[in-house]
Amino acid sequence: MVVTRRQSDLEICARAQEVADRVIAPNAQEHDRTGAFPHDNVKALGQSGLMGLLVPAQYGGLGGTVTQFSKVAEIIAVACPSTSMIWGMHTNQYVNLVEYGGDAQKAAILPGVASGATLMASGTTEPGTGGNFFYCNSAAEKVDGGWTFSATKPVATSAPHADYCFCITRAHPDAPGAQLSFFMVHCKVDGATQIGEWNTVGLRATQSSGIQFTDVPLTALNLIGSEGGFAAVALTTMLPVGMCGFAACWLGTAQAALDVAVEHVR
């Protein structure tokens, strides 16, 4: 039988809906009330294969599409916006590795992503930058064999639980603020310290507190794309995929709010 794109989309959506109904929705209010990280939700998404939706099949993933990513983010958000944001940011980071990583990087990291064992976070903001996505104060210091990395990343989705944080920083100390490199930095090494608290009105269970990196050694295996080449990664992959994920998360959240309002009126 020939499996059409439409049938494939339906199967992926059905897989997401099953996890959302069985695991995610029943504990959403408790996670939002306490701000506890939804480990069970992430585990169930990993077991379903959805933590590796956009990982190519050769690395154990589902080899999915951005359309499927958007629809799954919406389905999860109807059940729990925090879980949708955790899943969406995770996906939006590893897809940069899929598109711009070398063979050795992909072979080392993507099988863990596909199995649900490896969780990704995003570190694209820094104090004093005014939220400018294409500007950093920190800079990578060139050393023999690679770089050392020191930076304060005050907001990183899933920070206390992530294995890697995808961070932007100036390519070198003399580089202008917009000449950025993009590194995949391990969160569980000496020099990586959790900072701050996360106690917000919404998306409480994402635990998007910060990470302080101090003299963390990096090699070419940590670099995504070329040195100073973050803009190309952002404009072709991170931003297009990310905006689809954000929109889908907000759409699912709004749909859930509408459902509650309609039920209340009835």
Side-chain angles (χ1 to χ4, degrees):
M1 180 183 72
V2 176
V3 179
T4 66
R5 172 61 57 80
R6 178 62 178 167
Q7 289 170 316
S8 176
D9 289 350
L10 290 174
E11 190 279 330
I12 292 295
C13 289
R15 189 181 301 205
Q17 193 66 63
E18 190 278 330
V19 176
D21 292 342
R22 176 174 55 86
V23 181
I24 298 174
N27 60 37
Q29 289 191 13
E30 180 66 11
H31 283 304
D32 191 60
R33 184 184 68 81
T34 64
F37 191 80
H39 291 286
D40 289 346
N41 298 352
V42 174
K43 179 179 179 180
L45 289 167
Q47 291 172 337
S48 73
L50 291 171
M51 292 300 284
L53 174 61
L54 299 186
V55 173
Q58 71 188 91
Y59 299 107
L62 297 180
T65 66
V66 174
T67 298
Q68 292 169 348
F69 162 70
S70 301
K71 190 58 185 176
V72 170
E74 180 184 353
I75 290 170
I76 297 172
V78 172
C80 175
S82 287
T83 302
S84 180
M85 185 57 66
I86 291 165
W87 179 82
M89 292 300 287
H90 160 80
T91 305
N92 189 38
Q93 298 313 302
Y94 77 69
V95 73
N96 301 298
L97 175 60
V98 171
E99 294 299 322
Y100 282 89
D103 291 342
Q105 291 172 305
K106 294 178 183 180
I109 303 298
L110 290 180
V113 173
S115 70
T118 302
L119 182 64
M120 303 303 192
S122 172
T124 55
T125 60
E126 290 187 359
T129 61
N132 187 339
F133 189 73
F134 288 102
Y135 186 90
C136 277
N137 290 318
S138 67
E141 294 270 1
K142 194 77 172 179
V143 296
D144 289 343
W147 304 264
T148 59
F149 175 61
S150 297
T152 301
K153 299 296 182 178
V155 179
T157 305
S158 312
H161 312 282
D163 297 286
Y164 291 92
C165 186
F166 283 67
C167 297
I168 56 175
T169 189
R170 285 185 295 138
H172 53 83
D174 295 325
Q179 186 180 338
L180 305 173
S181 292
F182 194 31
F183 290 101
M184 181 177 62
V185 187
H186 207 299
C187 297
K188 299 174 181 176
V189 296
D190 291 341
T193 306
Q194 301 297 318
I195 58 172
E197 296 182 355
W198 184 256
N199 186 17
T200 55
V201 174
L203 299 178
R204 290 169 49 75
T206 63
Q207 294 197 358
S208 302
S209 54
I211 307 178
Q212 175 69 52
F213 295 102
T214 304
D215 295 330
V216 175
L218 303 173
T219 71
L221 290 176
N222 298 100
L223 180 66
I224 304 298
S226 62
E227 189 173 2
F230 170 69
V233 180
L235 293 173
T236 61
T237 304
M238 177 186 275
L239 287 176
V241 175
M243 294 307 104
C244 289
F246 287 139
C249 182
W250 308 146
L251 180 60
T253 303
Q255 182 63 59
L258 178 62
D259 292 345
V260 170
V262 170
E263 185 62 27
H264 177 74
V265 171
R266 286 176 177 170

PDB file of all heavy atoms in Angstrom, residues 182-217:
ATOM      1  N   PHE A 182      27.180  29.859  16.866  1.00  0.00           N
ATOM      2  CA  PHE A 182      26.081  29.083  17.457  1.00  0.00           C
ATOM      3  C   PHE A 182      26.658  27.771  17.974  1.00  0.00           C
ATOM      4  O   PHE A 182      27.165  26.967  17.193  1.00  0.00           O
ATOM      5  CB  PHE A 182      25.032  28.832  16.374  1.00  0.00           C
ATOM      6  CG  PHE A 182      23.708  28.336  16.870  1.00  0.00           C
ATOM      7  CD1 PHE A 182      23.203  28.691  18.110  1.00  0.00           C
ATOM      8  CD2 PHE A 182      22.925  27.519  16.056  1.00  0.00           C
ATOM      9  CE1 PHE A 182      21.966  28.241  18.542  1.00  0.00           C
ATOM     10  CE2 PHE A 182      21.688  27.070  16.469  1.00  0.00           C
ATOM     11  CZ  PHE A 182      21.212  27.434  17.712  1.00  0.00           C
ATOM     12  N   PHE A 183      26.578  27.582  19.292  1.00  0.00           N
ATOM     13  CA  PHE A 183      27.180  26.409  19.910  1.00  0.00           C
ATOM     14  C   PHE A 183      26.139  25.568  20.640  1.00  0.00           C
ATOM     15  O   PHE A 183      25.212  26.098  21.255  1.00  0.00           O
ATOM     16  CB  PHE A 183      28.256  26.828  20.924  1.00  0.00           C
ATOM     17  CG  PHE A 183      29.498  27.413  20.317  1.00  0.00           C
ATOM     18  CD1 PHE A 183      29.703  28.792  20.296  1.00  0.00           C
ATOM     19  CD2 PHE A 183      30.462  26.588  19.773  1.00  0.00           C
ATOM     20  CE1 PHE A 183      30.850  29.334  19.747  1.00  0.00           C
ATOM     21  CE2 PHE A 183      31.624  27.122  19.220  1.00  0.00           C
ATOM     22  CZ  PHE A 183      31.822  28.499  19.209  1.00  0.00           C
ATOM     23  N   MET A 184      26.331  24.284  20.597  1.00  0.00           N
ATOM     24  CA  MET A 184      25.552  23.324  21.367  1.00  0.00           C
ATOM     25  C   MET A 184      26.370  23.010  22.623  1.00  0.00           C
ATOM     26  O   MET A 184      27.370  22.303  22.569  1.00  0.00           O
ATOM     27  CB  MET A 184      25.314  22.072  20.525  1.00  0.00           C
ATOM     28  CG  MET A 184      24.503  20.977  21.176  1.00  0.00           C
ATOM     29  SD  MET A 184      24.238  19.596  20.028  1.00  0.00           S
ATOM     30  CE  MET A 184      25.935  19.073  19.720  1.00  0.00           C
ATOM     31  N   VAL A 185      25.949  23.557  23.766  1.00  0.00           N
ATOM     32  CA  VAL A 185      26.744  23.505  24.989  1.00  0.00           C
ATOM     33  C   VAL A 185      26.113  22.530  25.978  1.00  0.00           C
ATOM     34  O   VAL A 185      24.910  22.626  26.275  1.00  0.00           O
ATOM     35  CB  VAL A 185      26.852  24.905  25.637  1.00  0.00           C
ATOM     36  CG1 VAL A 185      27.811  24.870  26.818  1.00  0.00           C
ATOM     37  CG2 VAL A 185      27.286  25.944  24.610  1.00  0.00           C
ATOM     38  N   HIS A 186      26.918  21.622  26.496  1.00  0.00           N
ATOM     39  CA  HIS A 186      26.402  20.648  27.462  1.00  0.00           C
ATOM     40  C   HIS A 186      26.031  21.366  28.759  1.00  0.00           C
ATOM     41  O   HIS A 186      26.787  22.200  29.261  1.00  0.00           O
ATOM     42  CB  HIS A 186      27.442  19.564  27.726  1.00  0.00           C
ATOM     43  CG  HIS A 186      26.856  18.258  28.145  1.00  0.00           C
ATOM     44  ND1 HIS A 186      26.099  18.103  29.292  1.00  0.00           N
ATOM     45  CD2 HIS A 186      26.885  17.031  27.558  1.00  0.00           C
ATOM     46  CE1 HIS A 186      25.710  16.851  29.393  1.00  0.00           C
ATOM     47  NE2 HIS A 186      26.160  16.175  28.364  1.00  0.00           N
ATOM     48  N   CYS A 187      24.858  21.039  29.281  1.00  0.00           N
ATOM     49  CA  CYS A 187      24.369  21.703  30.498  1.00  0.00           C
ATOM     50  C   CYS A 187      24.820  21.022  31.782  1.00  0.00           C
ATOM     51  O   CYS A 187      24.604  21.558  32.872  1.00  0.00           O
ATOM     52  CB  CYS A 187      22.836  21.744  30.492  1.00  0.00           C
ATOM     53  SG  CYS A 187      22.132  22.690  29.140  1.00  0.00           S
ATOM     54  N   LYS A 188      25.407  19.839  31.662  1.00  0.00           N
ATOM     55  CA  LYS A 188      25.739  19.053  32.853  1.00  0.00           C
ATOM     56  C   LYS A 188      27.244  18.815  32.922  1.00  0.00           C
ATOM     57  O   LYS A 188      27.720  17.675  32.998  1.00  0.00           O
ATOM     58  CB  LYS A 188      24.953  17.742  32.843  1.00  0.00           C
ATOM     59  CG  LYS A 188      23.436  17.979  32.868  1.00  0.00           C
ATOM     60  CD  LYS A 188      22.634  16.706  32.710  1.00  0.00           C
ATOM     61  CE  LYS A 188      21.136  16.993  32.719  1.00  0.00           C
ATOM     62  NZ  LYS A 188      20.317  15.792  32.473  1.00  0.00           N
ATOM     63  N   VAL A 189      27.986  19.926  32.856  1.00  0.00           N
ATOM     64  CA  VAL A 189      29.445  19.868  32.941  1.00  0.00           C
ATOM     65  C   VAL A 189      29.907  20.911  33.944  1.00  0.00           C
ATOM     66  O   VAL A 189      29.157  21.815  34.337  1.00  0.00           O
ATOM     67  CB  VAL A 189      30.102  20.134  31.565  1.00  0.00           C
ATOM     68  CG1 VAL A 189      29.751  19.051  30.572  1.00  0.00           C
ATOM     69  CG2 VAL A 189      29.686  21.510  31.034  1.00  0.00           C
ATOM     70  N   ASP A 190      31.161  20.790  34.382  1.00  0.00           N
ATOM     71  CA  ASP A 190      31.742  21.824  35.236  1.00  0.00           C
ATOM     72  C   ASP A 190      31.703  23.162  34.495  1.00  0.00           C
ATOM     73  O   ASP A 190      32.041  23.248  33.316  1.00  0.00           O
ATOM     74  CB  ASP A 190      33.184  21.478  35.587  1.00  0.00           C
ATOM     75  CG  ASP A 190      33.286  20.276  36.517  1.00  0.00           C
ATOM     76  OD1 ASP A 190      32.276  19.949  37.161  1.00  0.00           O
ATOM     77  OD2 ASP A 190      34.379  19.679  36.578  1.00  0.00           O
ATOM     78  N   GLY A 191      31.292  24.191  35.189  1.00  0.00           N
ATOM     79  CA  GLY A 191      31.192  25.506  34.582  1.00  0.00           C
ATOM     80  C   GLY A 191      29.795  25.878  34.144  1.00  0.00           C
ATOM     81  O   GLY A 191      29.561  27.030  33.746  1.00  0.00           O
ATOM     82  N   ALA A 192      28.843  24.944  34.215  1.00  0.00           N
ATOM     83  CA  ALA A 192      27.445  25.226  33.880  1.00  0.00           C
ATOM     84  C   ALA A 192      26.634  25.205  35.173  1.00  0.00           C
ATOM     85  O   ALA A 192      26.533  24.169  35.838  1.00  0.00           O
ATOM     86  CB  ALA A 192      26.899  24.198  32.894  1.00  0.00           C
ATOM     87  N   THR A 193      26.069  26.360  35.536  1.00  0.00           N
ATOM     88  CA  THR A 193      25.366  26.503  36.814  1.00  0.00           C
ATOM     89  C   THR A 193      23.963  27.042  36.582  1.00  0.00           C
ATOM     90  O   THR A 193      23.775  28.025  35.849  1.00  0.00           O
ATOM     91  CB  THR A 193      26.122  27.484  37.736  1.00  0.00           C
ATOM     92  OG1 THR A 193      27.481  27.049  37.873  1.00  0.00           O
ATOM     93  CG2 THR A 193      25.459  27.563  39.098  1.00  0.00           C
ATOM     94  N   GLN A 194      22.996  26.402  37.213  1.00  0.00           N
ATOM     95  CA  GLN A 194      21.613  26.878  37.122  1.00  0.00           C
ATOM     96  C   GLN A 194      21.467  28.154  37.950  1.00  0.00           C
ATOM     97  O   GLN A 194      21.963  28.241  39.076  1.00  0.00           O
ATOM     98  CB  GLN A 194      20.646  25.817  37.632  1.00  0.00           C
ATOM     99  CG  GLN A 194      20.715  24.493  36.887  1.00  0.00           C
ATOM    100  CD  GLN A 194      20.337  24.622  35.424  1.00  0.00           C
ATOM    101  OE1 GLN A 194      19.390  25.321  35.079  1.00  0.00           O
ATOM    102  NE2 GLN A 194      21.067  23.938  34.562  1.00  0.00           N
ATOM    103  N   ILE A 195      20.773  29.148  37.379  1.00  0.00           N
ATOM    104  CA  ILE A 195      20.581  30.413  38.086  1.00  0.00           C
ATOM    105  C   ILE A 195      19.123  30.855  37.979  1.00  0.00           C
ATOM    106  O   ILE A 195      18.392  30.457  37.065  1.00  0.00           O
ATOM    107  CB  ILE A 195      21.487  31.531  37.511  1.00  0.00           C
ATOM    108  CG1 ILE A 195      21.210  31.734  36.020  1.00  0.00           C
ATOM    109  CG2 ILE A 195      22.949  31.214  37.756  1.00  0.00           C
ATOM    110  CD1 ILE A 195      21.914  32.938  35.420  1.00  0.00           C
ATOM    111  N   GLY A 196      18.708  31.683  38.931  1.00  0.00           N
ATOM    112  CA  GLY A 196      17.395  32.305  38.866  1.00  0.00           C
ATOM    113  C   GLY A 196      16.266  31.363  39.227  1.00  0.00           C
ATOM    114  O   GLY A 196      16.463  30.177  39.512  1.00  0.00           O
ATOM    115  N   GLU A 197      15.070  31.918  39.221  1.00  0.00           N
ATOM    116  CA  GLU A 197      13.859  31.157  39.501  1.00  0.00           C
ATOM    117  C   GLU A 197      12.856  31.398  38.379  1.00  0.00           C
ATOM    118  O   GLU A 197      12.957  32.373  37.626  1.00  0.00           O
ATOM    119  CB  GLU A 197      13.258  31.578  40.848  1.00  0.00           C
ATOM    120  CG  GLU A 197      14.141  31.274  42.041  1.00  0.00           C
ATOM    121  CD  GLU A 197      13.485  31.666  43.349  1.00  0.00           C
ATOM    122  OE1 GLU A 197      12.377  32.258  43.294  1.00  0.00           O
ATOM    123  OE2 GLU A 197      14.065  31.389  44.407  1.00  0.00           O
ATOM    124  N   TRP A 198      11.891  30.507  38.283  1.00  0.00           N
ATOM    125  CA  TRP A 198      10.846  30.621  37.264  1.00  0.00           C
ATOM    126  C   TRP A 198       9.500  30.459  37.958  1.00  0.00           C
ATOM    127  O   TRP A 198       9.081  29.369  38.300  1.00  0.00           O
ATOM    128  CB  TRP A 198      11.028  29.551  36.192  1.00  0.00           C
ATOM    129  CG  TRP A 198      10.070  29.645  35.044  1.00  0.00           C
ATOM    130  CD1 TRP A 198       8.977  28.860  34.799  1.00  0.00           C
ATOM    131  CD2 TRP A 198      10.118  30.577  33.957  1.00  0.00           C
ATOM    132  NE1 TRP A 198       8.345  29.235  33.652  1.00  0.00           N
ATOM    133  CE2 TRP A 198       9.037  30.303  33.109  1.00  0.00           C
ATOM    134  CE3 TRP A 198      10.974  31.630  33.627  1.00  0.00           C
ATOM    135  CZ2 TRP A 198       8.781  31.027  31.942  1.00  0.00           C
ATOM    136  CZ3 TRP A 198      10.724  32.354  32.473  1.00  0.00           C
ATOM    137  CH2 TRP A 198       9.642  32.047  31.644  1.00  0.00           C
ATOM    138  N   ASN A 199       8.847  31.591  38.199  1.00  0.00           N
ATOM    139  CA  ASN A 199       7.554  31.585  38.897  1.00  0.00           C
ATOM    140  C   ASN A 199       6.650  32.583  38.205  1.00  0.00           C
ATOM    141  O   ASN A 199       6.479  33.714  38.640  1.00  0.00           O
ATOM    142  CB  ASN A 199       7.738  31.942  40.375  1.00  0.00           C
ATOM    143  CG  ASN A 199       6.445  31.802  41.160  1.00  0.00           C
ATOM    144  OD1 ASN A 199       5.494  31.150  40.706  1.00  0.00           O
ATOM    145  ND2 ASN A 199       6.393  32.402  42.330  1.00  0.00           N
ATOM    146  N   THR A 200       6.062  32.152  37.099  1.00  0.00           N
ATOM    147  CA  THR A 200       5.333  33.040  36.210  1.00  0.00           C
ATOM    148  C   THR A 200       3.830  32.784  36.282  1.00  0.00           C
ATOM    149  O   THR A 200       3.366  31.832  36.924  1.00  0.00           O
ATOM    150  CB  THR A 200       5.807  32.831  34.763  1.00  0.00           C
ATOM    151  OG1 THR A 200       5.660  31.439  34.431  1.00  0.00           O
ATOM    152  CG2 THR A 200       7.263  33.222  34.608  1.00  0.00           C
ATOM    153  N   VAL A 201       3.073  33.622  35.592  1.00  0.00           N
ATOM    154  CA  VAL A 201       1.619  33.439  35.533  1.00  0.00           C
ATOM    155  C   VAL A 201       1.266  32.259  34.631  1.00  0.00           C
ATOM    156  O   VAL A 201       0.393  31.451  34.945  1.00  0.00           O
ATOM    157  CB  VAL A 201       0.937  34.724  35.026  1.00  0.00           C
ATOM    158  CG1 VAL A 201      -0.562  34.496  34.813  1.00  0.00           C
ATOM    159  CG2 VAL A 201       1.156  35.861  36.011  1.00  0.00           C
ATOM    160  N   GLY A 202       1.935  32.141  33.493  1.00  0.00           N
ATOM    161  CA  GLY A 202       1.677  31.051  32.557  1.00  0.00           C
ATOM    162  C   GLY A 202       2.939  30.284  32.231  1.00  0.00           C
ATOM    163  O   GLY A 202       4.045  30.700  32.583  1.00  0.00           O
ATOM    164  N   LEU A 203       2.763  29.156  31.551  1.00  0.00           N
ATOM    165  CA  LEU A 203       3.893  28.298  31.164  1.00  0.00           C
ATOM    166  C   LEU A 203       4.791  27.992  32.354  1.00  0.00           C
ATOM    167  O   LEU A 203       6.016  27.908  32.237  1.00  0.00           O
ATOM    168  CB  LEU A 203       4.709  28.952  30.045  1.00  0.00           C
ATOM    169  CG  LEU A 203       3.960  29.215  28.731  1.00  0.00           C
ATOM    170  CD1 LEU A 203       4.881  29.910  27.728  1.00  0.00           C
ATOM    171  CD2 LEU A 203       3.418  27.928  28.115  1.00  0.00           C
ATOM    172  N   ARG A 204       4.171  27.793  33.494  1.00  0.00           N
ATOM    173  CA  ARG A 204       4.934  27.630  34.736  1.00  0.00           C
ATOM    174  C   ARG A 204       5.791  26.370  34.736  1.00  0.00           C
ATOM    175  O   ARG A 204       6.901  26.361  35.264  1.00  0.00           O
ATOM    176  CB  ARG A 204       3.957  27.597  35.917  1.00  0.00           C
ATOM    177  CG  ARG A 204       3.304  28.946  36.187  1.00  0.00           C
ATOM    178  CD  ARG A 204       2.144  28.839  37.171  1.00  0.00           C
ATOM    179  NE  ARG A 204       2.456  28.103  38.377  1.00  0.00           N
ATOM    180  CZ  ARG A 204       3.203  28.575  39.379  1.00  0.00           C
ATOM    181  NH1 ARG A 204       3.693  29.796  39.308  1.00  0.00           N
ATOM    182  NH2 ARG A 204       3.430  27.834  40.444  1.00  0.00           N
ATOM    183  N   ALA A 205       5.276  25.311  34.144  1.00  0.00           N
ATOM    184  CA  ALA A 205       5.975  24.028  34.219  1.00  0.00           C
ATOM    185  C   ALA A 205       7.145  23.920  33.249  1.00  0.00           C
ATOM    186  O   ALA A 205       7.865  22.920  33.263  1.00  0.00           O
ATOM    187  CB  ALA A 205       4.996  22.877  33.981  1.00  0.00           C
ATOM    188  N   THR A 206       7.361  24.939  32.426  1.00  0.00           N
ATOM    189  CA  THR A 206       8.536  24.887  31.537  1.00  0.00           C
ATOM    190  C   THR A 206       9.831  25.044  32.306  1.00  0.00           C
ATOM    191  O   THR A 206      10.901  24.692  31.800  1.00  0.00           O
ATOM    192  CB  THR A 206       8.477  25.985  30.457  1.00  0.00           C
ATOM    193  OG1 THR A 206       8.521  27.275  31.083  1.00  0.00           O
ATOM    194  CG2 THR A 206       7.219  25.865  29.611  1.00  0.00           C
ATOM    195  N   GLN A 207       9.759  25.615  33.504  1.00  0.00           N
ATOM    196  CA  GLN A 207      10.955  25.859  34.329  1.00  0.00           C
ATOM    197  C   GLN A 207      12.073  26.508  33.506  1.00  0.00           C
ATOM    198  O   GLN A 207      13.200  26.015  33.446  1.00  0.00           O
ATOM    199  CB  GLN A 207      11.414  24.566  34.989  1.00  0.00           C
ATOM    200  CG  GLN A 207      10.400  24.032  36.009  1.00  0.00           C
ATOM    201  CD  GLN A 207      10.971  23.010  36.965  1.00  0.00           C
ATOM    202  OE1 GLN A 207      12.139  22.636  36.874  1.00  0.00           O
ATOM    203  NE2 GLN A 207      10.138  22.547  37.876  1.00  0.00           N
ATOM    204  N   SER A 208      11.708  27.637  32.904  1.00  0.00           N
ATOM    205  CA  SER A 208      12.645  28.334  32.011  1.00  0.00           C
ATOM    206  C   SER A 208      13.541  29.304  32.768  1.00  0.00           C
ATOM    207  O   SER A 208      13.620  30.498  32.447  1.00  0.00           O
ATOM    208  CB  SER A 208      11.851  29.072  30.927  1.00  0.00           C
ATOM    209  OG  SER A 208      11.055  28.180  30.189  1.00  0.00           O
ATOM    210  N   SER A 209      14.224  28.789  33.755  1.00  0.00           N
ATOM    211  CA  SER A 209      15.184  29.612  34.496  1.00  0.00           C
ATOM    212  C   SER A 209      16.467  29.744  33.680  1.00  0.00           C
ATOM    213  O   SER A 209      16.509  29.372  32.514  1.00  0.00           O
ATOM    214  CB  SER A 209      15.461  28.994  35.867  1.00  0.00           C
ATOM    215  OG  SER A 209      15.857  27.642  35.732  1.00  0.00           O
ATOM    216  N   GLY A 210      17.531  30.273  34.283  1.00  0.00           N
ATOM    217  CA  GLY A 210      18.725  30.567  33.515  1.00  0.00           C
ATOM    218  C   GLY A 210      19.884  29.612  33.754  1.00  0.00           C
ATOM    219  O   GLY A 210      19.845  28.740  34.629  1.00  0.00           O
ATOM    220  N   ILE A 211      20.911  29.790  32.941  1.00  0.00           N
ATOM    221  CA  ILE A 211      22.150  29.027  33.077  1.00  0.00           C
ATOM    222  C   ILE A 211      23.327  29.996  32.988  1.00  0.00           C
ATOM    223  O   ILE A 211      23.381  30.843  32.091  1.00  0.00           O
ATOM    224  CB  ILE A 211      22.305  27.954  31.987  1.00  0.00           C
ATOM    225  CG1 ILE A 211      21.069  27.047  31.920  1.00  0.00           C
ATOM    226  CG2 ILE A 211      23.550  27.107  32.256  1.00  0.00           C
ATOM    227  CD1 ILE A 211      21.149  26.009  30.818  1.00  0.00           C
ATOM    228  N   GLN A 212      24.240  29.865  33.908  1.00  0.00           N
ATOM    229  CA  GLN A 212      25.500  30.619  33.860  1.00  0.00           C
ATOM    230  C   GLN A 212      26.605  29.672  33.382  1.00  0.00           C
ATOM    231  O   GLN A 212      26.859  28.644  34.016  1.00  0.00           O
ATOM    232  CB  GLN A 212      25.852  31.172  35.237  1.00  0.00           C
ATOM    233  CG  GLN A 212      27.203  31.856  35.316  1.00  0.00           C
ATOM    234  CD  GLN A 212      27.218  33.171  34.547  1.00  0.00           C
ATOM    235  OE1 GLN A 212      26.354  34.015  34.745  1.00  0.00           O
ATOM    236  NE2 GLN A 212      28.199  33.336  33.672  1.00  0.00           N
ATOM    237  N   PHE A 213      27.227  30.005  32.279  1.00  0.00           N
ATOM    238  CA  PHE A 213      28.345  29.228  31.757  1.00  0.00           C
ATOM    239  C   PHE A 213      29.641  29.978  32.063  1.00  0.00           C
ATOM    240  O   PHE A 213      29.757  31.168  31.769  1.00  0.00           O
ATOM    241  CB  PHE A 213      28.218  29.024  30.250  1.00  0.00           C
ATOM    242  CG  PHE A 213      27.035  28.184  29.841  1.00  0.00           C
ATOM    243  CD1 PHE A 213      25.887  28.779  29.331  1.00  0.00           C
ATOM    244  CD2 PHE A 213      27.068  26.814  29.965  1.00  0.00           C
ATOM    245  CE1 PHE A 213      24.795  28.019  28.951  1.00  0.00           C
ATOM    246  CE2 PHE A 213      25.977  26.032  29.588  1.00  0.00           C
ATOM    247  CZ  PHE A 213      24.839  26.638  29.077  1.00  0.00           C
ATOM    248  N   THR A 214      30.602  29.273  32.648  1.00  0.00           N
ATOM    249  CA  THR A 214      31.875  29.895  33.017  1.00  0.00           C
ATOM    250  C   THR A 214      33.034  29.035  32.526  1.00  0.00           C
ATOM    251  O   THR A 214      33.235  27.912  33.004  1.00  0.00           O
ATOM    252  CB  THR A 214      31.977  30.070  34.544  1.00  0.00           C
ATOM    253  OG1 THR A 214      30.850  30.821  35.019  1.00  0.00           O
ATOM    254  CG2 THR A 214      33.250  30.805  34.911  1.00  0.00           C
ATOM    255  N   ASP A 215      33.745  29.544  31.533  1.00  0.00           N
ATOM    256  CA  ASP A 215      34.936  28.868  30.996  1.00  0.00           C
ATOM    257  C   ASP A 215      34.650  27.424  30.600  1.00  0.00           C
ATOM    258  O   ASP A 215      35.433  26.506  30.883  1.00  0.00           O
ATOM    259  CB  ASP A 215      36.079  28.908  32.014  1.00  0.00           C
ATOM    260  CG  ASP A 215      36.568  30.321  32.283  1.00  0.00           C
ATOM    261  OD1 ASP A 215      36.488  31.155  31.365  1.00  0.00           O
ATOM    262  OD2 ASP A 215      37.002  30.594  33.428  1.00  0.00           O
ATOM    263  N   VAL A 216      33.540  27.213  29.935  1.00  0.00           N
ATOM    264  CA  VAL A 216      33.195  25.876  29.449  1.00  0.00           C
ATOM    265  C   VAL A 216      33.967  25.610  28.152  1.00  0.00           C
ATOM    266  O   VAL A 216      33.884  26.402  27.203  1.00  0.00           O
ATOM    267  CB  VAL A 216      31.681  25.749  29.203  1.00  0.00           C
ATOM    268  CG1 VAL A 216      31.348  24.391  28.588  1.00  0.00           C
ATOM    269  CG2 VAL A 216      30.913  25.948  30.504  1.00  0.00           C
ATOM    270  N   PRO A 217      34.737  24.522  28.081  1.00  0.00           N
ATOM    271  CA  PRO A 217      35.487  24.236  26.854  1.00  0.00           C
ATOM    272  C   PRO A 217      34.575  23.714  25.748  1.00  0.00           C
ATOM    273  O   PRO A 217      33.681  22.902  25.985  1.00  0.00           O
ATOM    274  CB  PRO A 217      36.483  23.157  27.306  1.00  0.00           C
ATOM    275  CG  PRO A 217      35.829  22.502  28.478  1.00  0.00           C
ATOM    276  CD  PRO A 217      35.019  23.559  29.165  1.00  0.00           C
TER     277      PRO A 217
END
